Structures are given as structure tokens and as C-alpha cells.
Amino acid sequence: MTSPRAFYAIKKDLEAVLSHDPAARNPLEAALCYSGFHALVMYRFFHFLYVHRYFLLARLLSALTRFFTGIEIHPGAVIGSGVFIDHGAGVVIGETAVVGNNVVIYQGVTLGGTGKDKGKRHPTVEDDVTVCSGAKVLGPFTVGKGAIIGAGSIVLAEVPPKSTVVGVPGRIVKLSGRKVNSLFTPPNDQSLKKIAELEERVRRLEELLQKNNQDDTDVTE
């Protein structure tokens, strides 16, 4: 009933368990004992039903999956392959959420809405993102490829690729491996560039001022 693409995604999801969790000793153990994998397998099935307009049956299967796994995935969410939901109790993924490939989601994570938006209400999480325990990503914005959302963070704004976000509200502390000295989350990469330029300009002015002070001291002597 499900498409070959869904079976491929299930295979990649199982591989993700073995790749990310050293406690998973073999594929059989991963397939039988990991609730996150079970929730994703069921999602592939009820998402297929939802796409083909069997809405009530899809929602019923979604509710049963939540009952048995503690993980709530709306049938309308779009989830890529190679996704790993670790210790998945309390995970919630909303109807218009989009989750890319090779994403890691830990327990207590919410990919939800703020209640203020209509239409696209939930976040888009691009490939290779890690969302740590208890993080709440709320709103119709994008979490860029390779980003890391720290445990317990509440993220309400766009997250650039390859950045690390922590805190409440979430703020960027690293971008492409470099520390960012900012109390607030810059809205885009252009803002980060401007901040870096200003920091460099201040550094040069301080060096020039120090040099001028040194020259004045030498002349006085």
C-alpha cells in the first residue's frame, strides 16, 4: 500500500538508529526496541493515507501511535529519510512541519506553532539538524541545514545553517564553528556579516588609538 520511497525511508531510519545510538547493537534490536523508529514506521503508513485523503483513518492511527510510543506526529507533517528520534517520549511534530533528511530529534522536542499563524504554522527543519532534549521550535520559519538547537531552548525565529542556538529565547552562540558574541538572534546571515565587520572596525580603531598614544609618549620623552 505504501510507496517504494516510504520503504526506502524506513530502511534509512533504521540505519540512523544504528548510526547515532551506540547502545543499538544490531538491526533486529533497533527494529524491535526503539519507539522512535516505531513511530516513524507508522508515520510513513498514516501519512500515505493522509495524502490520499483518508483523513479520519490517518488521524486514528496517529492517535494510536501516540498512545503506544508517546510520540505525536500529525499525519500532514512531511518527514525525510534517515531521521532518528531518540528516547522519543513527549516529541510533538505539527501538521505543517517539514523535517529534512538525517535529522536527530531527542525527547521532549516540540516542532509546533505559536497559535498566531494560519496556513504554514510550524517550522521547516532542514537536513542534518540536531534538536536536543526539551527544545521548543515554534513558528513557520526555517532551521538551516546542519544547525544545532540546544537542550531546553525556545526558538522563535529563523536559524541560519551550521549555527548553534541555546537559551530562552534562543540565541545564536556559534556560526560555522565560530563563537558569536551576541545577546540576540540575528535574523539572517547579512546581519551576522555586519556584526563581524563592526567588530573588525572597532579592533582596528583600538589598535590605531593605541599606536597614536604610544607615538605621543615617545615624542614627550
Side-chain angles (χ1 to χ4, degrees), residues 35-44 46-47 50 58-59 61-66 69-79 83 85 88 91-95 97 99 105 111:
S35 60
F37 176 72
H38 300 158
L40 287 168
V41 170
M42 289 303 299
Y43 158 79
R44 308 291 176 195
F46 58 65
H47 178 69
Y50 191 86
R59 292 301 301 271
L61 290 175
S62 173
L64 283 172
T65 300
R66 179 183 60 186
T69 67
I71 298 168
E72 182 173 349
I73 305 175
H74 192 283
V78 177
I79 301 178
V83 175
I85 300 177
V91 168
V92 178
I93 301 176
E95 178 185 11
V99 178
I105 298 172
L111 304 181

Side-chain angles (χ1 to χ4, degrees), residues 142-162:
T142 298
V143 178
K145 183 175 181 180
I148 298 173
I149 308 299
S153 300
I154 298 179
V155 183
L156 303 171
E158 198 91 3
V159 177
K162 297 183 179 179

